[in-house]
Amino acid sequence: MATVSKSALRRILVHGWPVLLVFALGITLTLVLARRAAETEAQLAHSRFEQSARARIALVKELIQGQLRELDALRRFITLGPELTRQDFQALARLSDRIQMTVAWNQNVPSTELDQYRARMRENYGDNFRLRLPESVEPLGSGDIRRYFPITYHKSSVPGADLIGIDTGYLPSRIAAYEQAMSTGEAVMIGGVRTLDDPGDQTGILVFSPVFEGDAGNDITERHFGNLRGFVAMSLRLNALADLASEAHGGGPGIELLFSPFPSDSSDDMPADVADLLSRHKRVFTDELELADGIVSVHAVPLQRDDWQPRPIGLVIAIVGVAGAFLGAAYLALVILQRSRAEQMVASRTKELKSALDALSESEARWQFALAGSGDGVWDRNMETGEVFYSEAWKAMLGYASDEIGNGLSEWTSRIHPDDLAGCRHALETHFRGESQYYEHVHRIRCKAGHYKWILDRGKVVEWLAPGRPARVIGTHSDITHVKQTELELVEANAFLSNLLSSAENMSIVATDSRGVIRLFNSGAERLLGYASEDMIGQQTLEYFHDAKELSAQRQALAKDNEAGLEGVAIFQACIDAGAQSQRWTYHCKNGQERQVQQTLSVMRDNEGKRLGYLSIALDMTDYLKAVDALEQSDRLLQDLTANVPGAIYQMVVRPDHSFFFPYVSDGVRQVYGLTPEETREDGARLLQRIHPDEVDGFRRSVQRSRETLLPWMREFKVSVPGQAEKWLRGEATPRRLDDGSTLWHGYVSDVTEIKQLEMQLRKQATIDPLTGTFNRRHLETHWQREIARVQRKGMPFSLIMLDIDHFKLVNDTYGHDIGDEALIRLGRMLRKEVRSTDVVYRLGGEEFLVLCEDTDVDGATRLADMLLDRLRHLPMPFEKWITASMSVIEVVADDDMPTAFKRLDELLYEAKASGRDQVVSEPVKPVV
């Protein structure tokens, strides 16, 4: 290093203040610029994080809202339908294909209807159906013996989910939700629980929506268990929603979604574990999801603590600035020391600084254009070298990692759909020739997975070598796949609507604007009224072809509810406000004819509820009304002819959807059903309501068999008419298939109560012991084969208990046969009272009785026999002493016949008597081979 001379030191001391000033200004500007850059980068990092978090939360919101709409549609169908079948539920319950979830029907089953419910469920699921307790997803309650809430149907995408028959009445949290839903009539949410379909996950969300009878009102007094049909339930898990959001937005820094569900009227305090996790993250975005009556707070936090951190641009600028300030001061000192050498160094440093500024300007241009292009994929093409810069977002848009895409033009052009390549090149060349200010083209690009995305490609030449010779082009790629799909759906919807309106030739469809001026006049309106659409659209109003007298009558009828006079389209608006959207009107046609139509009016509104116009749909009823008059005359003639026919003559039609109605019923229906013909025709279900509950299922099955086979229908059944005793009817009808797939029956119904009572009396006398009221041996002979068939079908044996009174002959000899008969009567009454409702008591003869115990092995029957023997020892008799009995017990299996079984019973009974009487002897249990 050269020695500094005295003169140089003197120059430094004299002129040193510019050096210090340059250094101080450089440090100040560097700090300001570094601070501004750090703040800008922090804002950009927060914006990127918030945008990504919003996208994930929007996906979760869309899925939840869609499933809530599906759940509400299912609830409305059940409310309006008479009975929910398993097939209807499976067809209507729709699950998301994005996450695992379950939709279920929890039916309200009163204890008085439990047997009927079990019978119906066995028809759906077979004889193995059982009510069962839920798994221990929470401490179980004691349940409610007055009613049950079993899961009747369910549809689940959770592997291994089997919930049919689980009684949710034992789960306190569900019962609390049921009661809340009953009080509000709205859906209720339970959050943060373990669900029955996936008990191992504690992030479950349950939504229960109550379903009441279709005729139940909105008043709170109408919402009670008597009107409650059940609850439609939806279960999903918050972990699954978080996984869905992560999978749908893969790539780049990760984001974790945390959920805090709580009722809308509860405290906003979040769970301690969630609050602790949020406190450890500086960057958090929070939103809320409305779910039924509750709210789920969604917190988006970085997956890793270092994710989404701003880049250290401020530090870099500070380091570079400080170094620049130091170098500037040093350069200025060198200028003072050695002017010539300083000039060379300044020239060299100026060139280097220009290069750095150019690079910085180039980078800033890319960033600014990317922001102008909505943050989508950015490309930068150098026309001289042929290299193309592709941003990380551009690569990620196509599903590629940063190192999977090179910098060649073919990386772009080779992935463009062959049908779109020529148009893309033409748009670029047009812009290169200066014929367009910007380059813009929509085409398809193949992704890594093989499918195509619709891309909006926009760009601009930013540097020119010469006119018509671009040097550098920068542009963006925007994913508009969803926009194209929406456009296609709109085109299809418009085409469908146009075809629908064109095909409705038998229906007049007229649409107007808010002033009533006609804007749509379809071919059906032209055919009905005789006017051409071009003469009506924009020329006339809706009331043009209406009868003036009818309009005046409507104006007068509605005037009392409207202070101002009604004119023009205001008349129709007033009809709509009064609830008379559908009315009978008279249309005046172009040829002078008058046509009677059924017109339905509705208001068309935009998404914000603003009224756009009116829609009128009219059906010509003129010929129909004439036909109705003719039919009424024919009906009066038929009523006169059938007035004296015993019983009721009728026609019944069952449609393909199983709905039915009665086109004709004679006056005889008053005697057999206690209904008028008008009541039956208006509501055919009222006639079926007269059928005894025990007969309804069999009645429906017999009609269904006749409908399927087209064989004559014949059945005897009981009916209950208010104010009358139960009676038996006999119905016969002949079916015929109609062109639309419906089935028409012609038939009659007559009263056969007296014949049926005589028949049942004879049957009872043949099977009931007249003294004790128990069944006799003849009934046992007919009942035996049915019990053996049940054993063969279910595999569960039944048992027999034979009872013989000890020394009964002595009772008759001592007290007389009347006292002996009274003892038998008391014994028979005691046996029928003490055994189960499914067990059958027989008197085989004299003092010998038999008890048949269904689904019972020999051990259970022996315990019953011991109990009966103890009751007999304390049974009061019409004399001072007590009586005892000897009993034998055996178990009957599938291959036993009746004689063999009775032989075994007699042998054991003889053993009991020989061993001292007053005891039970049972057959040893056969070992299992």
Side-chain angles (χ1 to χ4, degrees), residues 821-893:
D821 290 345
E822 177 62 24
L824 293 176
I825 292 172
R826 295 189 182 187
L827 174 59
R829 188 184 303 122
M830 183 272 290
L831 292 175
R832 294 198 308 272
K833 177 183 177 183
E834 297 296 340
V835 301
R836 301 174 303 177
S837 60
T838 57
D839 298 338
V840 185
V841 180
Y842 298 91
R843 183 186 179 198
L844 301 181
E847 67 274 19
E848 194 172 53
F849 290 83
L850 179 76
V851 181
L852 188 150
C853 307
E854 288 187 1
D855 297 339
T856 306
D857 57 16
V858 67
D859 290 338
T862 300
R863 290 192 295 270
L864 175 59
D866 290 333
M867 185 271 290
L868 293 176
L869 187 61
D870 183 66
R871 295 289 191 274
L872 180 59
R873 291 170 181 156
H874 299 85
L875 179 64
M877 286 294 164
F879 44 83
E880 297 179 356
K881 295 184 179 180
W882 307 100
I883 63 172
T884 61
S886 301
M887 297 187 188
S888 58
V889 183
I890 68 167
E891 180 181 298
V892 180
V893 294

Side-chain angles (χ1 to χ4, degrees), residues 238-528:
L238 296 177
N239 284 342
L241 294 176
D243 295 340
L244 170 65
S246 299
E247 294 173 0
H249 297 274
I255 290 179
E256 181 180 3
L257 296 184
L258 307 176
F259 298 85
S260 301
F262 51 86
S264 59
D265 58 352
S266 66
S267 173
D268 291 347
D269 293 340
M270 64 183 69
D273 55 341
V274 176
D276 178 66
L277 185 58
L278 294 179
S279 65
R280 291 187 275 113
H281 290 276
K282 297 181 179 179
R283 194 176 304 280
V284 179
F285 176 79
T286 300
D287 201 351
E288 291 184 347
L289 307 177
E290 293 186 2
L291 187 57
D293 69 329
I295 296 176
V296 178
S297 292
V298 186
H299 313 282
V301 299
L303 192 61
Q304 300 292 333
R305 292 178 60 88
D306 296 332
D307 288 347
W308 304 100
Q309 296 297 323
R311 294 171 294 183
I313 293 179
L315 179 62
V316 173
I317 292 177
I319 294 174
V320 173
V322 170
F326 178 80
L327 291 175
Y331 289 157
L332 184 59
L334 291 176
V335 167
I336 297 174
L337 293 174
Q338 192 174 6
R339 185 180 298 276
S340 60
R341 184 178 178 185
E343 290 176 352
Q344 295 178 359
M345 293 182 65
V346 168
S348 176
R349 296 304 300 169
T350 301
K351 184 177 180 180
E352 293 177 2
L353 183 60
K354 183 179 182 304
S355 177
L357 290 175
D358 289 342
L360 182 61
S361 176
E362 191 173 83
S363 176
E364 181 67 14
R366 291 175 184 167
W367 176 246
Q368 291 295 334
F369 198 84
L371 290 179
S374 303
D376 294 317
V378 180
W379 53 266
D380 186 347
R381 179 178 175 183
N382 190 320
M383 301 296 291
E384 291 185 277
T385 62
E387 293 184 351
V388 182
F389 164 80
Y390 301 103
S391 69
E392 297 292 331
W394 191 95
K395 300 173 184 177
M397 184 185 302
L398 301 182
Y400 291 95
S402 59
D403 57 350
E404 293 180 314
I405 296 291
N407 59 357
L409 181 62
S410 62
E411 298 285 0
W412 174 10
T413 57
S414 64
R415 293 176 171 85
I416 298 178
H417 195 282
D419 296 341
D420 302 336
L421 185 59
C424 179
R425 288 176 174 170
H426 176 73
L428 273 172
E429 292 171 357
T430 301
H431 178 58
F432 291 165
R433 293 193 300 268
E435 298 177 8
S436 61
Q437 186 176 3
Y438 295 95
Y439 154 70
E440 182 173 322
H441 189 257
V442 176
H443 50 262
R444 290 162 288 181
I445 293 185
R446 187 179 68 254
C447 300
K448 182 178 180 180
H451 62 280
Y452 283 89
K453 283 186 176 181
W454 283 97
I455 300 297
L456 173 60
D457 188 6
R458 290 182 289 190
K460 181 178 176 62
V461 176
V462 296
E463 292 183 10
W464 297 88
L465 294 174
R469 291 182 59 196
R472 182 182 176 194
V473 188
I474 297 179
T476 63
H477 277 178
S478 302
D479 185 357
I480 61 170
T481 304
H482 64 289
V483 176
K484 295 296 289 186
Q485 291 175 346
T486 303
E487 291 177 356
L488 293 175
E489 292 174 358
L490 288 175
V491 170
E492 293 177 357
N494 289 333
F496 174 77
L497 180 60
S498 177
N499 293 332
L500 180 62
L501 294 176
S502 300
S503 62
E505 296 182 354
N506 296 324
M507 186 175 293
S508 168
I509 302 177
V510 180
T512 73
D513 58 18
S514 60
R515 298 173 298 144
V517 179
I518 296 175
R519 299 302 179 189
L520 172 66
F521 199 82
N522 81 324
S523 59
E526 292 179 331
R527 182 177 179 181
L528 173 63

Side-chain angles (χ1 to χ4, degrees), residues 684-704:
R686 297 183 64 177
L687 187 145
L688 292 186
Q689 291 171 0
R690 294 285 198 260
I691 299 176
H692 194 279
D694 296 341
E695 301 284 339
V696 172
D697 290 341
F699 183 91
R700 291 182 183 274
R701 287 194 295 269
S702 65
V703 173
Q704 181 63 19

Side-chain angles (χ1 to χ4, degrees), residues 546 549-583 585 599 601 614:
H546 278 72
K549 294 180 179 179
E550 292 181 348
L551 288 174
S552 177
Q554 285 286 351
R555 184 185 300 109
Q556 294 177 3
L558 297 170
K560 59 183 180 180
D561 297 327
N562 296 271
E563 298 180 358
L566 297 175
E567 296 293 339
V569 74
I571 298 176
F572 301 115
Q573 180 62 53
C575 291
I576 295 174
D577 294 339
Q581 294 93 334
S582 181
Q583 294 189 71
W585 293 88
Q599 176 183 270
L601 283 171
Y614 299 89

Side-chain angles (χ1 to χ4, degrees), residues 594-612:
E594 292 184 355
R595 307 295 293 182
Q596 298 293 318
V597 301
Q598 186 70 27
Q599 176 183 270
T600 301
L601 283 171
S602 59
V603 180
M604 298 183 294
R605 301 183 184 275
D606 59 14
N607 294 334
E608 298 179 354
K610 181 180 179 181
R611 184 176 61 193
L612 299 178

Side-chain angles (χ1 to χ4, degrees), residues 784 787-792 795-800 856-858 890-898 900-901 904 923 926:
W784 180 271
E787 290 302 317
I788 290 296
R790 289 183 72 256
V791 172
Q792 293 173 347
M796 183 67 181
F798 67 90
S799 296
L800 299 176
T856 306
D857 57 16
V858 67
I890 68 167
E891 180 181 298
V892 180
V893 294
D895 56 351
D896 280 344
D897 56 17
M898 188 171 170
T900 303
R904 289 154 49 199
E923 188 178 48
K926 296 180 181 180

